[in-house]
């Protein structure tokens, strides 16, 4: 077994490596919404059992994919005819 100090170092290196790879494919932003819009978004997210930020990210992604369909071609599921 690893001594505690070595285990912490290995764990921190693994997490750091994962976060570096994860940050290459994702970015963060902050948005400001009118109170009523946020409250409605929060209600919607609660109704689906998901975090408000997760629903907001999903909705933004869908809107961007609709706006730029040439950049985001539909994904073909395995087994579907092309």
């Amino acid at each position: 077994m690893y001594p505690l100090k070595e285990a912490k170092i290995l764990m921190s290196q693994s997490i750091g490596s994962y976060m570096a790879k994860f940050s290459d494919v994702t970015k963060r932003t902050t948005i400001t919404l009118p109170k009523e819009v946020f409250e409605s978004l929060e209600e919607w997210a609660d109704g689906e059992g998901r975090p408000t930020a997760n629903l907001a990210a999903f909705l933004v992604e869908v809107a961007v994919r609709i706006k730029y369909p040439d950049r985001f071609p539909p994904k073909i599921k395995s087994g579907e005819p092309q």
Side-chain angles (χ1 to χ4, degrees):
M1 297 265 330
Y2 293 103
L4 184 58
K5 185 176 182 180
E6 289 179 20
K8 285 182 179 179
I9 291 170
L10 287 172
M11 197 162 89
S12 114
Q13 289 171 343
S14 295
I15 291 170
S17 173
Y18 171 78
M19 291 307 292
K21 290 177 187 173
F22 184 70
S23 66
D24 288 346
V25 295
T26 63
K27 298 290 183 182
R28 289 181 172 257
T29 191
T30 302
I31 62 171
T32 303
L33 300 170
K35 180 181 175 188
E36 298 79 14
V37 172
F38 178 81
E39 288 171 350
S40 296
L41 183 67
E42 191 172 43
E43 181 182 334
W44 182 357
D46 288 345
E48 293 189 4
R50 64 198 289 180
T52 305
N54 176 269
L55 177 59
F58 170 76
L59 295 172
V60 169
E61 181 178 347
V62 168
V64 171
R65 288 177 179 275
I66 290 169
K67 174 73 175 171
Y68 300 105
D70 54 316
R71 295 183 195 175
F72 302 98
K75 295 178 184 177
I76 299 173
K77 296 178 184 175
S78 62
E80 286 186 4
Q82 293 188 18

